[in-house]
Amino acid sequence: MSKLYSVGELLIDFQSVGTGGLKETKQFIKNAGGAPANVCVQAVKLGQKAAYLTKVGDDGFGEFLIDSLKKEGVDVSYISRSGEYDTSLAFVSFKDGGEREFSFYRKAAADLHFTEQDFKDVNFRADDVLEFGSVALKTAQARDTHKFLIDRAESAGALICFDPNLRFNLWESRQELKDAVKEFAAYADVIKAGADELEFLCGLPVEEAVKIMFGGKLKMLFVTDGGKGAKLYLADGRSYSCEGYKVNTIDTTGAGDSFFGGAIAQIMRLNLSADNLVNGKTDYGKILDFACKCGAYTTTGYGAIPAMGDRENIEKAVK
């Protein structure tokens, strides 16, 4: 059976109790987080096998994160611990109207300092998937390690999936982030990006930016746009749209990750690989539609991982 390998940040999401800014918030609830980790868990909840690749601090927070993923059925054998660096932390507060305020504590994060040696035992197969984002690309060491894994995955014929997941406040400049994302986007077969992210990266409206994105290896591009739904573009020029689903939204945390996890799970379920990802037989509209359902469902509860559903609950609740 194929397996998803997600690599990147693994952090504690401290989410505010009640509404207000970080300055006013007095209580927080602790949950496991990190975009690639969320993607990984969603895929597992949808019946796929998945492993997470990262490093955490040798502390109670790190233990909590490993236990949290393990309880969800994720293979945690490639998560190492560091006595030199810390476990990443993120504080999130919810304002009136659904807006969120973030504060990250990861300048000395263990997940910015994993090495090739940490993942030397990772061996990909042609039907596997490697997925990652931009948050853990901040250091040269982490970028080199991502390239090591990408090279191994490509050599095996595995599918490469990338989510830019732009977090401007984690980088020295917007240009530094843009350069890193463009470099690693070139390795991807599948990309999921927000409409605003795509416009930032290409400096053009979405439809024009899409054409630029397909100038190289890319075969499939998902473009999300919040409550406006999402679109799926293929390298052969076909495109699909989904208006999204109306649900009782409580918290949008992890909705995009759930969307991407749902899309990847569908791709794996249909036995699509780098070689046959774009073909004349697959109903790509259904892949997009189900991904939108996953994202919508996750917004109906608090947190990312705690709010994610399995296939039965998602199909039952989101119509």
Side-chain angles (χ1 to χ4, degrees):
M1 183 177 179
S2 59
K3 193 169 188 175
L4 166 64
Y5 293 86
S6 289
V7 55
E9 71 278 9
L10 183 57
L11 51 83
I12 304 282
D13 266 335
F14 286 99
Q15 297 177 314
S16 67
V17 177
T19 59
L22 288 174
K23 179 180 178 181
E24 295 80 24
T25 301
K26 295 182 179 179
Q27 290 182 300
F28 295 86
I29 295 175
K30 178 178 66 175
N31 285 310
N38 295 338
V39 170
C40 194
V41 170
Q42 181 64 89
V44 170
K45 286 180 177 289
L46 296 173
Q48 302 303 320
K49 289 186 177 181
Y52 202 62
L53 285 58
T54 193
K55 179 176 284 187
V56 295
D58 189 12
D59 51 35
F61 287 142
E63 291 178 14
F64 169 80
L65 289 169
I66 292 172
D67 288 347
S68 295
L69 293 192
K70 189 174 182 179
K71 288 176 182 177
E72 296 293 344
V74 175
D75 179 354
V76 297
S77 59
Y78 301 107
I79 301 179
S80 58
R81 302 187 188 192
S82 170
E84 183 178 0
Y85 298 103
D86 302 323
T87 300
S88 296
L89 307 178
F91 290 82
V92 187
S93 67
F94 302 96
K95 299 182 178 181
D96 294 332
E99 292 298 318
R100 294 173 293 164
E101 182 181 354
F102 291 90
S103 185
F104 293 92
Y105 292 81
R106 49 182 287 105
K107 290 183 178 179
D111 56 48
L112 291 175
H113 297 279
F114 44 55
T115 68
E116 296 177 14
Q117 189 66 21
D118 291 316
F119 307 132
K120 61 182 176 59
D121 295 327
V122 177
N123 293 301
F124 298 96
R125 303 188 315 178
D127 57 352
D128 289 335
V129 177
L130 174 65
E131 183 268 337
F132 64 102
S134 71
V135 172
L137 296 176
K138 184 68 173 64
T139 63
Q141 183 174 331
R143 290 194 293 274
D144 287 343
T145 304
H146 276 78
K147 290 176 183 177
F148 165 76
L149 289 167
I150 290 168
D151 183 62
R152 278 200 169 186
E154 285 185 327
S155 296
L159 196 67
I160 312 296
C161 299
F162 178 53
D163 175 6
N165 190 33
L166 305 181
R167 293 291 181 263
F168 297 109
N169 59 335
L170 295 179
W171 295 76
E172 300 304 320
S173 70
R174 292 194 168 208
Q175 188 61 50
E176 181 188 16
L177 172 57
K178 182 184 287 188
D179 291 343
V181 169
K182 284 187 172 182
E183 177 184 0
F184 281 85
Y187 299 119
D189 300 296
V190 180
I191 289 177
K192 189 277 288 183
D196 55 339
E197 293 179 322
L198 205 59
E199 291 177 353
F200 167 76
L201 293 172
C202 298
L204 294 167
V206 171
E207 293 301 326
E208 294 181 46
V210 167
K211 297 175 184 178
I212 293 177
M213 295 296 290
F214 280 107
K217 181 186 177 187
L218 186 65
K219 302 176 180 70
M220 181 181 288
L221 173 64
F222 293 92
V223 181
T224 59
D225 199 7
K228 297 179 182 178
K231 291 185 177 181
L232 169 58
Y233 301 86
L234 301 179
D236 63 5
R238 285 179 288 169
S239 64
Y240 303 82
S241 298
C242 178
E243 294 182 356
Y245 290 89
K246 301 296 183 182
V247 295
N248 182 26
T249 297
I250 296 175
D251 174 15
T252 59
T253 302
D257 305 330
S258 182
F259 174 100
F260 204 27
I264 291 172
Q266 286 296 91
I267 288 170
M268 296 172 72
R269 190 183 190 202
L270 294 169
N271 297 315
L272 299 178
S273 65
D275 290 335
N276 71 343
L277 186 60
V278 178
N279 59 67
K281 299 179 180 180
T282 299
D283 188 338
Y284 294 98
K286 286 187 177 180
I287 295 177
L288 176 63
D289 183 74
F290 184 70
C292 285
K293 286 184 176 181
C294 290
Y297 184 91
T298 299
T299 70
T300 63
Y302 285 105
I305 291 174
M308 291 178 179
D310 58 21
R311 189 174 298 275
E312 180 179 357
N313 287 331
I314 291 170
E315 292 284 14
K316 185 185 298 183
V318 185
K319 297 179 180 179

